[in-house]
């Protein structure tokens, strides 16, 4: 039987989602907790792999178990075992071939910037001091992302992918007081893509890169021409959606 897990985590203390040989990861913690509770070796597959320090307000993973489990009880017990910065919201059954990564239809991220200082947000926002940003131009550049599909210029260079094509369906900046948030949604994302986009759009906002140059960067497919990656700590995976067909009517 296949089960989906809906979870969230603060990524500060982890070397990303994916299991690492010499560093702690979120995937490792989830697998250990479920293996203890279910008294069996459990392997989980996530909807994607966030980098070290990146957070997730909503992420899904799946695992297989040979018999039916009490989802509420398993969720409660797993949360008692997990560290406080990882939370399982629920566990639910899905169709036999449902896949947390390959069946995801849309993913949404937020990149959170604080235009100032706040000691309580130092692990979850990129704090920019005395930066003058032209947010209107940043939004003009962000809208250009919706007109392209090849984003090799924003991809980590040593990644192994078959295609650099992504369909971006939303990309916009919103300012609320001194809180500046970049919202972006797509069918898939490349490694480091959002952070590279944010860093490049900040260059646009500072006047270091023009709108014309931003277009040329996308067309170049060259990561070296794009701006520096924004720090991991401001990035949140906020939503992953799936077709209703993978759900079981119980």
């Amino acid at each position: 039987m296949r089960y989906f897990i809906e979870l969230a985590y603060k990524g500060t203390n982890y070397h990303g989602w994916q299991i690492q040989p010499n560093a702690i990861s979120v995937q490792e913690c989830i697998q250990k907790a479920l293996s203890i509770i279910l008294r069996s070796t459990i392997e989980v597959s996530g909807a994607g792999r966030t980098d070290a320090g990146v957070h997730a307000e909503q992420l899904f993973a799946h695992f297989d178990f040979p018999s039916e489990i009490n989802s509420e009880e398993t969720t409660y017990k797993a949360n008692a075992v997990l560290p406080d910065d990882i939370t399982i919201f629920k566990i639910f059954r899905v169709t036999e071939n449902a896949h947390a990564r390959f069946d995801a239809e849309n993913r949404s991220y937020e990149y959170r910037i604080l235009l100032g200082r706040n000691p309580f947000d130092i692990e979850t926002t990129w704090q920019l001091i005395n930066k003058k940003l032209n947010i209107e131009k940043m939004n003009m550049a962000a809208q250009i992302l919706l007109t392209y599909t090849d984003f090799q210029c924003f991809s980590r260079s040593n990644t192994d992918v078959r295609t650099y094509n992504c369909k971006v369906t939303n990309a916009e900046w919103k300012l609320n007081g001194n809180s500046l948030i970049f919202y972006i949604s797509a069918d898939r994302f490349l490694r480091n893509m959002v952070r590279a986009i944010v860093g490049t759009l900040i260059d646009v906002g500072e006047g270091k890169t023009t709108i014309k140059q931003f277009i040329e960067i996308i067309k170049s497919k060259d990561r070296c021409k794009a701006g520096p990656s924004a720090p991991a700590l401001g990035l949140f995976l906020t939503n992953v959606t799936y077709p209703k067909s993978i759900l079981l009517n119980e």
Side-chain angles (χ1 to χ4, degrees):
M1 296 181 179
R2 179 152 291 186
Y3 293 87
F4 262 35
I5 312 164
E6 183 183 358
L7 65 139
Y9 55 86
K10 182 183 176 187
T12 306
N13 296 322
Y14 301 97
H15 199 74
W17 161 264
Q18 191 173 18
I19 287 179
Q20 305 292 326
N22 299 306
I24 187 170
S25 70
V26 178
Q27 184 182 27
E28 177 185 355
C29 291
I30 296 290
Q31 289 189 170
K32 283 184 176 180
L34 291 175
S35 296
I36 291 170
I37 301 306
L38 297 175
R39 299 180 182 180
S40 179
T41 300
I42 301 296
E43 295 184 358
V44 301
S45 298
R49 54 182 188 181
T50 55
D51 289 337
V54 175
H55 318 288
E57 289 188 344
Q58 184 189 57
L59 184 138
F60 290 89
H62 75 257
F63 70 94
D64 294 326
F65 196 68
S67 59
E68 188 170 354
I69 65 174
N70 184 319
S71 295
E72 289 187 7
E73 180 180 345
T74 303
T75 299
Y76 175 80
K77 289 182 177 180
N79 282 326
V81 174
L82 285 166
D84 292 339
D85 49 9
I86 302 175
T87 297
I88 293 178
F89 295 130
K90 62 181 178 179
I91 298 173
F92 55 97
R93 280 198 56 196
V94 291
T95 55
E96 183 179 349
N97 295 319
H99 198 287
R101 178 184 174 188
F102 299 127
D103 284 335
E105 294 181 321
N106 188 75
R107 297 168 172 85
S108 296
Y109 282 89
E110 293 179 13
Y111 193 92
R112 301 173 184 177
I113 294 174
L114 182 68
L115 300 175
R117 289 189 180 274
N118 187 327
F120 300 105
D121 295 330
I122 57 174
E123 295 178 332
T124 54
T125 56
W126 184 17
Q127 301 191 11
L128 298 179
I129 314 299
N130 297 325
K131 289 276 189 181
K132 293 185 178 180
L133 301 174
N134 187 324
I135 298 171
E136 183 179 356
K137 283 192 175 180
M138 291 164 65
N139 267 324
M140 289 173 61
Q143 287 303 299
I144 292 169
L145 296 170
L146 277 64
T147 65
Y148 287 87
T149 55
D150 189 324
F151 295 107
Q152 185 173 353
C153 67
F154 298 126
S155 173
R156 184 167 292 173
S157 56
N158 60 350
T159 188
D160 181 21
V161 295
R162 294 181 179 178
T163 175
Y164 293 97
N165 288 346
C166 309
K167 184 179 179 181
V168 177
T169 53
N170 181 57
E172 61 179 332
W173 291 91
K174 290 185 179 180
L175 178 65
N176 183 9
N178 63 348
S179 176
L180 178 62
I181 301 178
F182 179 58
Y183 299 87
I184 185 167
S185 299
D187 60 342
R188 64 189 290 266
F189 286 91
L190 306 168
R191 290 200 66 188
N192 201 57
M193 178 175 165
V194 179
R195 291 167 57 196
I197 288 174
V198 169
T200 308
L201 289 175
I202 291 294
D203 282 351
V204 172
E206 290 189 276
K208 297 177 181 178
T209 300
T210 65
I211 300 295
K212 182 180 179 181
Q213 289 171 331
F214 185 78
I215 295 172
E216 291 172 351
I217 289 170
I218 297 175
K219 290 180 176 180
S220 75
K221 303 182 182 182
D222 185 350
R223 178 65 186 91
C224 294
K225 294 186 182 302
S229 294
L233 53 78
L235 183 59
F236 287 75
L237 175 62
T238 57
N239 185 252
V240 186
T241 60
Y242 294 89
K244 292 182 179 180
S245 59
I246 70 170
L247 300 174
L248 290 179
N249 295 321
E250 298 181 349

